Amino acid sequence: MAQRLIGVDIGTSAVRAAEVSVRNGEVILHRFGQVGLPPGAVEAGEIVEVDEVAAALKRLWNEVGFSHRRVAMGVGSPRCFLRSHELPSMPADEMRKALSFEVADLFPMGEEVSYDFNVIAERSDDAGNAKAELLVVATHPETLRRLIAVARKARLIPVVIDMVGLALLRALATPISPEGPQLCEAVVSVGAQVSVVAIHHAGVPRFVRISPQGGESLTRDLAKAWDVSLQKAEAVKRAQLLVADGDSEDPGRVAVLQRVSALAEEIANTIHFGTRGLPPLDRVVVTGGGSRSPGFFDALESMLSMGVQAGRLTRRIKLDHNCRLSQEDIRRAEPLMAAAIGLALAQAQGQFKPVNLLPSTFVEQRTAKAEALAVGALLVVVAGGLLWIWHRQGTTLSQEESQLATDQATIASLQVEVSKLEVLARDVEAVIQKEQLVSQALSVDVDWAKVLIDIAHDMPPDVWLTSFSATAPSSTSAGAVNMSGVGFTHNDTAAFIIDEGKCPLLRGLFVSSSNLNPSQHLTTFSATAYLTPEAQMNRLALFVNGKATAK
């Protein structure tokens, strides 16, 4: 069973995370928490202060005790867009390549665009040509770079980067069945500085817009009307502003009522625009901290001429028995949880499939680095062991060479003593046996430190070894090395073959397997190579030359 994800929602005023699972179609909430952000850390859905946001996420993980660090993160910036697009039906990789030539026209954001897509329908045109309808989501790469930088600093592993609008549909839209009514719904989230409108018809997302409008503007209007700080205005607004018997002439009350009406009108206009060409709306669901502003629901209902419902997550989720939150805690936090829960459900089987804006070059880099460090540590241990063996062999060789010199001197003196030929013969036989032992020992004397250094030197930058083993040469074998490694694509495996094939200490390098894991965007492979004579140390030659010189 795949490890469940943790949804991370980075808002203007707080970071929130939810850990959920799905059992028999029921959503189980295991953990939820939030930590506030200082003013200015996030502005209009864009991360401004990477260190501040990362520090808040670290604190959140420490306080809540999530079970792991694999996360789905959301993009809630007005620079994130959704479009539908049609292409001829073709394999996914070819479709991605074809889309790359058209994405700049679909999303006029400049030269740099990061995007992903889902196929939502397939059909044939009048000429019988197969067509595919795509749901394409794009954002500016800088938005993703800052999001990934936050994850790295917070020691999190981003697996999915989804559009917040799709996550809201996943959390709050009515589940659609083929036999049931084909509903048309709008899900609205009003945050502090950003509002999201997501519309689907029959379970297919048709419109998502993220606009820089939110509840914080109400507080700013109040502060301006009363000439007080934002903190004071927020406190007054929450405590007593829009009570039923409030002073209708109060300038702060008037300013906020006007702003509530303007915000509701802006959202209503967005819904009207997004439902063009769709059936009439069956349901409008509203969530988010900004939606709690008194009078907002009434104003939006008036603008839409239909009822508006508050998003009720508590009806759709069940608390894990180890969850530290009560139903009352969940009820109070309910308007703030939808995005995080929808992101956590990114890998669940169901409607509103996520896109993944995570660049392939960043997929699981933190895990890959950890594995590389582990492999590096293993190589250091192996190298240390080989150096110790080399030192022991060197000491033994030195002793043997010293003894050999003594024996040779004895032989030289015995040659003068013709009368002692019998003793001399025995000594010569002993010397020959020792020479054979030394030659046999040195004939398979591989310079393992040099082998490891050369292999590491030729290693491509995007490849890490995960295992290494070797067999020494023998009278019937040249010796071999067996390696397993990991890269991002099969191209990295090919680069490994090319680069390590140039190593003068190896020959006959071949890869026995190379497997791509699409969900992790990693390629694992196994390779074998044979040692060349250059891998051996020259101590045998030194020994032989030294012996010849002595003679």
Side-chain angles (χ1 to χ4, degrees), residues 9 53 87 115 155 157 166 183 191 213 218-219 230 236 262 306 355 361 398 406 411 425 446 451-452:
D9 175 32
V53 178
L87 284 176
Y115 67 94
R155 301 192 301 277
I157 304 172
L166 298 181
L183 298 179
Q213 305 283 340
L218 308 181
T219 306
L230 289 175
V236 173
M306 66 178 295
V355 297
T361 54
S398 177
T406 302
I411 291 172
V446 176
V451 170
L452 289 171

Side-chain angles (χ1 to χ4, degrees), residues 29 44-45 48 138 150 155 167 196-197 223 245 284 341 386 410 412 415 422 432-433 470 479 527 536:
L29 178 64
V48 178
V150 165
R155 301 192 301 277
V196 183
V197 175
D245 58 350
V284 177
I341 288 178
L386 293 174
T410 301
Q415 288 175 341
E422 184 177 356
I432 291 173
Q433 290 176 350
Q536 296 188 3

Side-chain angles (χ1 to χ4, degrees), residues 22 25 27 118-120 135 162 165-183 185 200-205 283 316 341-355:
V22 180
V27 178
N118 289 325
V119 177
I120 56 176
L135 189 73
D162 194 12
L166 298 181
L168 291 170
L169 289 174
R170 208 173 295 128
L172 292 174
T174 303
I176 304 296
S177 64
E179 300 79 15
Q182 303 299 292
L183 298 179
E185 292 182 313
H200 81 92
H201 176 229
V204 177
R283 182 169 175 255
R316 307 180 65 177
I341 288 178
L343 290 166
L345 292 171
Q347 287 188 333
Q349 298 297 321
Q351 294 164 321
F352 310 113
K353 179 182 177 182
V355 297

Side-chain angles (χ1 to χ4, degrees), residues 484-532:
S484 296
V486 63
F488 295 112
T489 67
H490 287 307
N491 291 336
D492 295 334
T493 304
F496 171 83
I497 296 172
I498 293 171
D499 293 348
E500 293 297 342
K502 299 174 183 178
C503 180
L505 305 186
L506 304 177
R507 65 177 176 84
L509 173 66
F510 68 96
V511 171
S512 59
S513 65
S514 180
N515 300 306
L516 175 65
N517 188 327
S519 65
Q520 297 183 342
H521 297 275
L522 292 177
T523 299
T524 58
F525 63 88
S526 299
T528 301
Y530 299 100
L531 297 174
T532 66

Side-chain angles (χ1 to χ4, degrees), residues 38-233:
V42 176
E43 291 287 344
E46 295 283 349
I47 297 171
V48 178
E49 299 294 340
V50 171
D51 290 341
E52 295 283 1
V53 178
L57 285 171
K58 287 182 180 178
R59 179 183 163 193
L60 179 60
W61 247 252
N62 290 335
E63 291 181 356
V64 177
F66 294 107
S67 65
H68 58 88
R69 294 182 174 272
R70 290 166 53 85
V71 298
M73 308 184 81
V75 177
S77 163
R79 293 200 293 178
C80 188
F81 303 94
L82 177 144
R83 298 281 189 275
S84 61
H85 187 59
E86 188 176 80
L87 284 176
S89 184
M90 62 186 79
D93 55 343
E94 295 180 19
M95 197 173 294
R96 185 174 296 278
K97 184 180 296 185
L99 190 60
S100 66
F101 296 103
E102 303 181 27
V103 70
D105 295 329
L106 284 172
F107 305 99
M109 292 188 292
E111 295 183 0
E112 285 192 291
V113 180
S114 293
Y115 67 94
D116 192 28
F117 68 93
N118 289 325
V119 177
I120 56 176
E122 295 193 24
R123 62 178 183 82
S124 296
D125 60 16
D126 295 338
N129 299 314
K131 298 288 186 179
E133 184 181 0
L134 311 182
L135 189 73
V136 187
V137 175
T139 191
H140 197 281
E142 180 60 26
T143 300
L144 299 180
R145 283 193 282 268
R146 288 182 173 270
L147 197 61
I148 292 169
V150 165
R152 282 176 165 173
K153 286 182 176 289
R155 301 192 301 277
L156 302 179
I157 304 172
V159 176
V160 173
I161 295 182
D162 194 12
M163 190 182 198
V164 164
L166 298 181
L168 291 170
L169 289 174
R170 208 173 295 128
L172 292 174
T174 303
I176 304 296
S177 64
E179 300 79 15
Q182 303 299 292
L183 298 179
C184 185
E185 292 182 313
V187 175
V188 178
S189 176
V190 184
Q193 296 179 357
V194 171
S195 293
V196 183
V197 175
I199 300 172
H200 81 92
H201 176 229
V204 177
R206 291 298 181 184
F207 177 85
V208 175
R209 174 170 289 177
I210 304 171
S211 60
Q213 305 283 340
E216 188 176 287
S217 58
L218 308 181
T219 306
R220 294 186 183 278
D221 286 345
L222 178 59
K224 183 177 180 180
W226 283 2
D227 192 22
V228 296
S229 67
L230 289 175
Q231 291 79 5
K232 177 66 174 177

